[in-house]
Amino acid sequence: MNTAILPSGTAGSPAGATSVAVPTGPATEWSLPIDGMSCAACAGRVEKALRGVPGVVEAGVNLATEVATVRAEAGVGAEALHAAVRKAGYAVIEAPSPAGSGAGDGDDLGAAAADTAGRAPAVARARPAAWPIVVSALLSLPLVAPMFGMLLGADWALPGLWQLALATPVQFGLGARFYRGAWSALKARAGNMDLLVALGTSAAYGLSVYQLLAAAGHASAGAGHGATPHLYFEASAVVVTLVLLGKWLETRAKHQTTAAIRALNALRPETARVRRDGIEVELPLARVVVGDVVVVRPGDRVPVDGVVVEGASHVDESLITGESLPVARGVGDAVTGGAVNADGLLRVRTTALGAESTLARIVRLVESAQAKKAPIQRLVDRVSAVFVPVVVGIAVLTLLGWGLATGDWSRAILNAAAVLVIACPCALGLATPTAIMAGTGAAARRGILIKDAEALEVAHRVDVVAFDKTGTLTEGRAVLVAAEAADGDRPGLLADAAALQAGSAHPLARAVLEAARTEAAAAAPATDARAVPGRGVAAEVGGRPLRLGSTRWMRESGIDLAPLAARAAALEAEGRTVSWLAEVPVAGGAVPRLRGLLAFGDSLKPTARVAVEALRAQGVRTVLVSGDNAGSAHAVARALGIDEVHAEVLPADKAALVERLRAGGHTVAMVGDGINDAPALAAADVGIAMSTGTEVAMQAAGVTLMRGNPALVADAIDIARRTRAKIRQNLFWAFVYNVVGLPLAALGLLDPMLAGAAMAFSSVSVVTNALWLRRWKGTRT
């Protein structure tokens, strides 16, 4: 294979150069697209071969995506991995890019994803061609027609040589792939689906040739022509046709499970309009650099991650975050590459490109989830490893049993062939990965990114969800929750407070100014404004000397707080921050006068209560774990209906609390957004991070919610439960086909044609059942 393979940390090696890279660093992840796999036994053999390479830490093969994922120590080169795959009887379609390999200009999103995630871009496999099935069906139809003729009382039987002429190109031309696969399996001293099909169809074809030659020998010996012997060419040809049809339908169905990845990859434009030296020029995205100002016109997709520096608009981020409604974006707001600009002209300063973009990270997460195996798949793999040898043994016993018991070796061969054909373990190998691919794809479209299959499988068992408070259930920013005027003049209180805070950037000041704007409280200009460290702010407003600050400062200023003391105590018990506004004349002037109090707090997210109610409906217990004071934590819990509260908890203690919940026999999901939540996210059975939070939290979590919407937690558990149900359904049907079909075939109640049809139908039905997950929409919150 003449493909450049770049070592970790390099970029720009010439395309087409033959080279073998030695990845640097403690471990490198490779993605190897494998050609030639046909069933779970094939996937198991490739895994075993890769794990046998010295230095390979871990290897897994996903039959649905036909990709092997390998983690290897430094010093393991691509050629060693390729050689192991070839020795197992398969081939690598395209050389992988190890972690950190340069994508150069980042022109390809998939290649860019490999830069930081260690995953090669997924190979764009062509849709399977239909012409082999059409040709095979046309050649097989005349062989099957006599069966329908018999039902009508007509004799449509073809001469034996004609049957041979029709069946031979099907068996050895269109069915050559089964012989190639079987030969590879035999060289590796293993078995697979191709071996079963090749043995079964060859038995029926060979028996027919024997019968035909025997009849010709009798004729040449002078015994007369007689009737045409009973031939089974139609069985071999129809089985090949049905298996080819089944694989074609299966491949098309698997193609649909990767629709989420293709949709995400299609979001990024190929070009961007960039303003350089005051001139707008259209450039390939590969030539855009961080810091460039990109012009996004109405109706265009945003080509980069960035910050709006000019203009205002509404942006549709539905395919990225799952948010169904466009969101307002103006100067200072962040926008995500791939979103659609609705109605205004935006100028965006680029902050991230290629592998560092939000879209690339989403693609990496979804690809990672679809490529990795669920724990239940490991059991399936162990079953598949011994399945083919056992089936061959049953076929041999069927052959000998029927032959010795009845003396009808022709019938014995056909029954043995039916055993081989019905037992192909395709459905068994596809049951789990197709459900996981469909489930993670559906979740991604809803804005729920599931990092790996294990998180998906564990999430269905979650019975306790522990929430962080700030930024998870609350907005994470201060708002004015109460304004109590001593004289009842609330608008006047807000206007005076806003006047004092007009020049401040403090979070509490912003909350006051926002409340004043909302209530149209007109503020007079303040003069002689000054900040008093540790106390508050003082200024003159309309000739009145005002002070806004702490309880301590008010008392030092001689302000009587008694009229509002009870109200202040109640607000502080709820965890609110209380500030006081007073008029404090200079010495010798009027008596200081209390104007009122302002209370600040963190507002609840609108969907927080919906989230808790949805979890309760699922039978999940909710726990609040917060570092805030007890009053604030209990107030939030009461407002939302949360079952259990733990306040004033340090980050390390959050993790210990999660461990105690798990030790009590619960499966725990932790939901958070901050650095301080990372230990608890890692300690939980399932960590769920808000994408509105820190990168550290997202790295520690197995699930990321692309919107700061806690209601998506219930959706994540729901899709996990539905996916698990599909896996169980698929495995049930996969085993049922074999458990029911094998005895029927061995007892002579299932001929090879019906066995081939059942085998093909089993694979298609399993994949189709998994694809029902694509219809899942979640709750529309």
Side-chain angles (χ1 to χ4, degrees), residues 152-178:
L152 301 174
D155 183 7
W156 295 347
L158 295 173
L161 290 177
W162 285 34
Q163 293 186 45
L164 176 64
L166 290 168
T168 299
V170 175
Q171 183 70 34
F172 300 107
L174 300 168
R177 55 167 288 176
F178 302 118

Side-chain angles (χ1 to χ4, degrees), residues 54 112 196 237 327 398 440 458 507 625 778:
L196 298 181
V327 291
T398 300
T440 53
V458 173
V625 185

Side-chain angles (χ1 to χ4, degrees), residues 274-553:
V274 180
R275 188 170 63 181
R276 288 182 178 172
D277 301 325
I279 301 173
E280 290 184 11
V281 292
E282 187 159 340
L283 298 175
L285 204 57
R287 293 177 57 189
V288 179
V289 298
V290 172
D292 274 343
V293 174
V294 174
V295 180
V296 187
R297 294 173 297 190
D300 287 351
R301 286 198 181 276
V302 180
V304 297
D305 286 6
V307 176
V308 177
V309 295
E310 188 177 333
S313 182
H314 285 82
V315 175
D316 181 358
E317 299 179 345
S318 58
L319 283 176
I320 301 167
T321 66
E323 175 60 66
S324 57
L325 297 176
V327 291
R329 292 289 184 261
V331 175
D333 292 333
V335 292
T336 305
V340 178
N341 181 25
D343 50 18
L345 183 70
L346 295 177
R347 289 184 170 86
V348 177
R349 187 173 303 282
T350 303
T351 59
L353 288 161
E356 300 305 317
S357 69
T358 300
L359 192 56
R361 292 201 304 270
I362 293 172
V363 171
R364 288 200 297 273
L365 282 171
V366 178
E367 283 184 335
S368 177
Q370 293 188 344
K372 293 182 179 177
K373 289 186 176 181
I376 196 171
Q377 181 65 22
R378 295 166 196 151
L379 172 63
V380 175
D381 291 343
R382 288 196 294 271
V383 172
S384 299
V386 298
F387 189 76
V388 174
V390 167
V391 168
V392 172
I394 293 174
V396 170
L397 291 175
T398 300
L399 174 67
L400 296 176
W402 276 89
L404 295 174
T406 66
D408 186 352
W409 289 96
S410 297
R411 185 65 180 167
I413 291 172
L414 286 176
N415 291 342
V419 167
L420 292 168
V421 172
I422 190 65
C424 294
C426 304
L428 197 60
L430 292 169
T432 299
T434 51
I436 288 173
M437 291 172 69
T440 53
R445 287 192 294 273
R446 183 75 176 107
I448 302 167
L449 301 184
I450 300 170
K451 186 181 295 184
D452 54 55
E454 187 164 358
L456 183 70
E457 184 163 339
V458 173
H460 87 277
R461 300 198 307 268
V462 166
D463 58 354
V464 171
V465 172
F467 285 100
D468 169 55
K469 181 177 75 69
T470 305
T472 302
L473 295 174
T474 67
E475 297 289 0
R477 58 184 178 86
V479 294
L480 186 68
V481 296
E484 304 280 348
D487 58 3
D489 183 12
R490 176 185 167 93
L493 175 70
L494 281 177
D496 285 346
L500 267 71
Q501 301 283 32
S504 175
H506 192 280
L508 298 187
R510 288 198 296 268
V512 170
L513 294 170
E514 183 177 338
R517 282 194 301 270
T518 301
E519 299 189 26
T527 59
D528 194 24
R530 65 191 185 281
V532 182
R535 301 291 191 274
V537 62
E540 284 197 9
V541 179
R544 294 171 293 130
L546 299 178
R547 292 182 183 180
L548 176 63
S550 66
T551 303
R552 178 180 178 181
W553 194 23

